[in-house]
């Protein structure tokens, strides 16, 4: 389960934005995105790809002060085996850019995971549009899709792996009109697109290094 990630401006993010046809200066950068945060998502429109701000929590609830993350549904992630029941998988797919993410095993031994080659990460996600009944404002929410565990992360987080898209998958993923979900089966296989540097940290919120980084191979030996 990916519940914390990092997005900082660097050369690889500018390149990722360029590959997606959006302006990197318009991304919402933050050193620590956590559940309920406002994040940047990239979606396809009739005029090309665009950056939108979204609440990182797919299901929202109308309250007296506006739309808020629904307390009954912890929906920062959408599991791969729930996608068939999510209309957003057919109609509202997005890309969530990141430069690093954090994982832990049963809430213990958290690690900061960063591409060893300093490349950017393009998470595959879903989004929803809501209308705030108080203001009439359209509010967007989003989740990151999680897949089965990857063997490289077995000692970091064995249960799941965030969906990490490769550049040649971007167009199909975003083009919901032209790409049926039946064409996306290969996208839902857990993959790392480069080796990762895994740094032990004290906790997600502070990210103080407490041990030596290790290298996780994208294709570990069995």
């Amino acid at each position: 389960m990916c519940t914390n990630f990092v997005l900082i401006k660097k050369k690889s993010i500018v390149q990722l934005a360029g590959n997606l046809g959006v302006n990197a200066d318009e991304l919402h950068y933050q050193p620590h995105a956590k559940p309920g945060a406002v994040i940047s998502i990239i979606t396809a429109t009739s005029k090309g790809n665009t950056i939108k701000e979204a609440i990182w929590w797919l299901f929202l609830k109308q309250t007296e002060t506006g739309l808020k993350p629904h307390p009954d549904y912890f929906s920062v992630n959408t599991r791969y085996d729930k996608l068939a029941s999510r209309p957003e998988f057919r109609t509202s797919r997005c890309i969530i850019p990141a430069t690093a993410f954090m994982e832990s095993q049963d809430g213990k031994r958290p690690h900061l995971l960063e591409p060893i080659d300093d490349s950017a990460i393009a998470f595959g996600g879903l989004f929803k549009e809501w209308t705030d009944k108080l203001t009439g404002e359209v509010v967007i929410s989003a989740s990151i899709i999680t897949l089965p565990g990857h063997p490289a992360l077995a000692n970091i987080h064995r249960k799941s792996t965030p969906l990490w898209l490769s550049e040649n998958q971007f167009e199909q993923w975003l083009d919901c009109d032209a790409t049926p979900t039946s064409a996306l089966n290969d996208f839902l296989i857990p993959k790392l697109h480069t080796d990762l540097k895994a740094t032990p940290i004290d906790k997600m919120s502070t990210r103080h290094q407490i041990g030596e980084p290790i290298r996780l191979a994208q294709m570990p030996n069995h």
Side-chain angles (χ1 to χ4, degrees):
M1 177 180 292
C2 180
T3 57
N4 294 262
F5 70 88
V6 177
L7 178 62
I8 58 176
K9 190 172 185 181
K10 56 172 62 177
K11 182 179 179 180
S12 60
I13 283 292
V14 174
Q15 182 178 355
L16 174 65
N19 291 339
L20 287 164
V22 297
N23 185 349
D25 292 333
E26 296 177 2
L27 290 169
H28 185 74
Y29 295 103
Q30 49 193 320
H32 185 191
K34 54 187 178 180
V38 174
I39 62 172
S40 288
I41 68 171
I42 298 164
T43 70
T45 72
S46 59
K47 297 181 179 179
N49 296 339
T50 188
I51 297 171
K52 299 177 181 178
E53 286 195 342
I55 297 173
W56 188 22
W57 196 293
L58 190 63
F59 294 111
L60 304 182
K61 181 179 182 179
Q62 185 72 52
T63 73
E64 294 180 353
T65 57
L67 285 164
K68 306 291 182 183
H70 201 303
D72 295 339
Y73 304 99
F74 186 72
S75 52
V76 297
N77 298 143
T78 298
R79 282 175 36 168
Y80 71 99
D81 54 355
K82 302 292 185 182
L83 290 173
S85 64
R86 297 281 182 263
E88 296 79 23
F89 185 44
R90 298 187 296 274
T91 64
S92 306
R93 299 188 295 266
C94 65
I95 287 175
I96 300 171
T99 48
F101 62 104
M102 288 161 269
E103 295 284 16
S104 64
Q105 200 87 284
D106 302 320
K108 301 176 181 178
R109 299 191 299 112
H111 285 71
L112 175 67
L113 304 174
E114 305 168 272
I116 205 83
D117 61 1
D118 208 33
S119 57
I121 300 169
F123 288 132
L126 307 178
F127 72 96
K128 290 176 68 72
E129 292 187 349
W130 308 75
T131 300
D132 191 321
K133 295 178 180 179
L134 296 178
T135 65
E137 177 190 8
V138 174
V139 177
I140 299 172
S141 63
S143 68
I144 293 174
I145 293 171
T146 54
L147 308 177
H150 188 284
L153 303 181
N155 294 323
I156 303 292
H157 186 73
R158 63 180 175 273
K159 294 180 180 179
S160 64
T161 309
L163 170 55
W164 183 351
L165 298 169
S166 61
E167 184 179 341
N168 61 8
Q169 295 174 326
F170 294 168
E171 183 176 355
Q172 279 188 291
W173 182 258
L174 291 178
D175 194 344
C176 298
D177 291 333
T179 307
T181 57
S182 59
L184 301 175
N185 291 337
D186 287 346
F187 291 47
L188 304 180
I189 299 171
K191 294 176 183 175
L192 305 179
H193 296 294
T194 185
D195 292 359
L196 295 175
K197 180 176 75 171
T199 304
I201 54 177
D202 56 347
K203 50 187 177 180
M204 301 283 194
S205 58
T206 54
R207 292 187 305 162
H208 293 146
Q209 182 175 339
I210 59 171
E212 291 301 313
I214 59 174
R215 185 173 187 138
L216 304 179
Q218 60 178 310
M219 298 180 66
N221 296 322
H222 296 284

